[in-house]
Structure formats: C-alpha cells, structure tokens
Amino acid sequence: MVNDQMVNKVKCLIIGSGPAGYTAAIYASRANLAPVLIEGPQLGGQLTTTTEVENFPGYPDGVEPFQMMDDLRRQAERFGTTFVSGIVTKVDFSVSPKKVIVEDEQEYEADAVIIATGASAKYLGIESERTYRGRGVSACATCDGFFYRKKTVAVVGGGDTACEEANYLAGLCEKVYMIVRKPYLRASEIMQQRVLNNPKIEVLFEHNTLQLTGEGKVEGADLIYRKGEPDETIRHIDINGFFLAIGHHPNTEVFKDYVARDPEGFIIVKDNSTQTNIPGVFAAGDCADPHYRQAVVAAGSGAKAAIDADKYIKSL
Ligand code: NDP
C-alpha cells in the first residue's frame, strides 16, 4: 500500500547505480533536471564485483572499481543528483507522469524515467548449485575469493569474465581449474594469454559439470568430457570452491508489463537512441545491451539517455 503523502514528483528518475546510471545522473543534473537516482541492491553495479578496471579510458594505471564508482557518484552529487537507496518493486508506465514505487511504499511520479538496472550473473541450473550456494558456490571471485586462499577452486566459463576470475583466483589459490564447454576460449586474446600462461590454471576444455559433491560444503565436482562422443568420460575433481562466470541476464523483470524486451529480457531501444517503446522511458547500459557490456559503453549510453530524456521533457 502506497502512502499518498510519500508521492515525490520529479522531472527525471534514474534507476540503477552502475556507470550508465551515474553518467545519466551527471548529464541530467547538469541539464537542470534535478534527477533522483534509485541506487538498487548493488551499489556501483556489476563492476564492483571485478578486481581492477584496466580498460576505462583516462586511467592509465587502472582503477579500483569502488573508487571509480565513488568518483562517478560524487560527480553526479556535485551537480545536484539526489540518491535514494532501495529496490524498485513496481512501475506503472501506462500513465503520464510515470509511476515508480520503491520498496512497496515510496512512490515517485516522473516526467521521464531512465532504466539503467544492469544485469546479474547466470547459474548453470543444476540442483547441487543451489544446495551449496554460499557454501562453496559463488558468482563473484572478488567478493568470495579470499575464503579460498591456498585452496583449489574451479571457474566455469570461457569468456572474459571467466578468464579474469581465474587469474584473480590464481593469485590467492593453490590451483584453479577452468571448466570450458567448448574446445576453445571465447575471451579476448590478451585474457586468453594470461590464463594459458598461468601455471596455476588448468583449462579443462570440452568439460561440463554434472554435479557438485561434498559433506555440507563443496568438496568436489563430477564433470563429463565430450558428452555424447565415443570418448565421453566422467571425471571427478577435488575442489573447495566453484565459481560461475557464464554470463549475465538483464535485470528488467519489473518493467516487463510495459517495456518491450527481446527473448533474453534485454530492453529494446530504437536505433541509435535510448528510447524504449514507451515515450518518456529510456534504457541505458547492460540492461539494454546484449553485445558490448563494457563500462565505457554503458557510461556513453547513460549520457545519451539523459540527453534523450532532456529533449523529451522540454517537448512536454
Ligand atoms: P560471455 O557470454 O562472453 O561468455 C560466457 C562463457 O560462459 C562462454 O565461454 C560460454 O560458453 C560459457 N557458458 C555459457 N553458458 C554456459 C553453460 N550453461 N555451461 C557452461 N558454460 C557456459 O560472458 P562474459 O561474462 O565472459 O562476458 C560478457 C561480455 O563482457 C563480453 O563481451 C566480454 O568481452 C565483456 N567483458 C569484458 C571484460 C574486459 O574487457 N576486461 C571483462 C569481463 C567481461 P560458449 O563459448 O560455449 O558459449
């Protein structure tokens, strides 16, 4: 139930606190839109689950993700952004101004809404992954790697995230297996080389995970090599930690009754803009980007969303 006295009227509401959301806030506040930014469950977004950002232009020596997010946040604050912590639980985009409800009680009415809710880690979907969640299963090496110092872990996936996590864990652990379903890595050349040249990392190509084993916590994994082929083999590895790095799905569920999405849930935007199918609702960053998923691209689309929102508000 929403308390009438808590309805807040704003010109521009931004949902999400990653590079897209904060950059949208910098631009929207500099355009005098006095934006309110809902920070969501993971302050700073997905980037804060990584170790170091090496490829954001302007940081020749790399930057700690929390530092970078804090810098972006302070920059948005400097120009007048208001921050609200909480999760958006409901929206109504059939009306104008748009309604957005935070934590089922705080209601906002906004002329324009910028969705920048990012994406979350995917899991394999095997039963034992749920059984051991938080007891050896993790989707964030930076968050949980510390618990596996001098132990043996496995990272699932063959993309840039998996390579980055494997390298990070190799700095802490005795041994790191990479469980890769294809006969090759999908990651960029530089990340592949780092993995393949790291003596602590053993890449298990063409392996899939059947189940995790252990007494109350992960102690091993049963893998299958070349499933369905004549040389198919079942193999067991002893591990203490199992890290998922198999991609992400967009955090767009709460908007699904209004905003058009593709079959994977990414918000569909009109060509070369951030405009969704709803006038006044814009999308930026990974929630609308199945391809690039880079902080710098997300930041760029955040700027575009604020410019699109400003233009829309001026046309009202
Ligand atoms: P990707 O989609 O690139 O890779 C996912 C990996 O997981 C692939 O190897 C895929 O295998 C594997 N996978 C997916 N589902 C399963 C499954 N059910 N079982 C086993 N393996 C599975 O995701 P990332 O998160 O690695 O990267 C996403 C984007 O972000 C990319 O564009 C990447 O370049 C970028 N990125 C860039 C970084 C950087 O520049 N420093 C760091 C991190 C990410 P398969 O190949 O067989 O499909």
Side-chain angles (χ1 to χ4, degrees):
M1 197 52 185
V2 174
N3 179 347
D4 273 351
Q5 290 177 345
M6 293 189 71
V7 175
N8 302 281
K9 293 184 194 302
V10 297
K11 281 190 199 158
C12 179
L13 189 83
I14 299 164
I15 309 170
S17 61
Y22 284 142
T23 307
I26 294 166
Y27 274 71
S29 49
R30 286 172 57 82
N32 277 340
L33 298 182
V36 169
L37 185 148
I38 315 290
E39 293 192 296
Q42 189 175 19
L43 194 66
Q46 274 179 82
L47 206 66
T48 55
T49 66
T50 192
T51 41
E52 195 186 1
V53 182
E54 290 181 334
N55 53 8
F56 200 92
Y59 294 102
D61 302 318
V63 60
E64 294 267 327
F66 282 106
Q67 181 63 55
M68 186 174 139
M69 287 304 131
D70 192 50
D71 288 347
L72 285 170
R73 190 181 192 277
R74 285 193 299 116
Q75 200 172 347
E77 192 171 32
R78 175 181 159 205
F79 297 110
T81 301
T82 302
F83 300 99
V84 172
S85 57
I87 295 171
V88 171
T89 47
K90 203 165 179 247
V91 298
D92 183 353
F93 292 160
S94 66
V95 291
S96 272
K98 276 88 197 147
K99 284 191 199 309
V100 173
I101 295 164
V102 178
E103 303 287 358
D104 289 325
E105 58 172 26
Q106 242 180 313
E107 182 172 327
Y108 288 84
E109 286 184 359
D111 292 332
V113 174
I114 296 174
I115 301 171
T117 44
S120 300
K122 278 186 190 163
Y123 285 79
L124 291 172
I126 55 174
E127 179 67 33
S128 48
E129 199 180 40
R130 267 194 300 277
T131 315
Y132 297 107
R133 182 91 53 104
R135 286 183 285 156
V137 173
S138 166
C140 176
T142 333
C143 319
D144 301 326
F146 190 71
F147 302 115
Y148 301 93
R149 273 169 305 157
K150 303 203 188 321
K151 296 195 171 161
T152 298
V153 298
V155 175
V156 190
D160 279 318
T161 305
C163 290
E164 207 170 78
E165 306 254 292
N167 267 308
Y168 174 73
L169 289 164
L172 296 168
C173 304
E174 187 149 299
K175 182 174 176 79
V176 179
Y177 291 104
M178 271 184 85
I179 304 168
V180 180
R181 66 181 176 182
K182 292 242 171 81
Y184 55 86
L185 294 170
R186 179 202 284 221
S188 55
E189 195 55 37
I190 185 170
M191 297 305 281
Q192 290 194 32
Q193 288 314 316
R194 282 185 195 172
V195 159
L196 299 171
N197 292 331
N198 192 321
K200 282 193 178 172
I201 302 175
E202 181 180 340
V203 184
L204 304 175
F205 287 110
E206 296 184 81
H207 281 74
N208 276 290
T209 311
L210 292 174
Q211 62 166 348
L212 300 170
T213 58
E215 288 289 321
K217 62 181 184 335
V218 171
E219 290 171 343
D222 293 332
L223 311 179
I224 185 162
Y225 171 67
R226 285 172 61 80
K227 187 174 181 217
E229 299 298 324
D231 54 350
E232 176 184 305
T233 319
I234 306 281
R235 173 179 179 183
H236 180 85
I237 53 171
D238 290 329
I239 50 169
N240 309 105
F242 185 77
F243 288 84
L244 280 310
I246 59 167
H248 293 79
H249 61 81
N251 302 320
T252 58
E253 204 58 14
V254 72
F255 311 110
K256 71 176 192 309
D257 292 342
Y258 303 95
V259 175
R261 304 182 303 158
D262 75 6
E264 286 194 64
F266 289 95
I267 294 175
I268 298 168
V269 289
K270 294 198 174 133
D271 281 348
N272 201 26
S273 84
T274 60
Q275 175 66 62
T276 68
N277 60 312
I278 312 271
V281 178
F282 305 88
D286 287 5
C287 68
D289 179 5
H291 302 296
Y292 299 107
R293 298 200 48 252
Q294 299 297 302
V296 68
V297 177
S301 73
K304 283 166 70 173
I307 293 167
D308 289 345
D310 185 38
K311 208 162 160 188
Y312 172 80
I313 290 165
K314 288 198 171 106
S315 75
L316 290 175

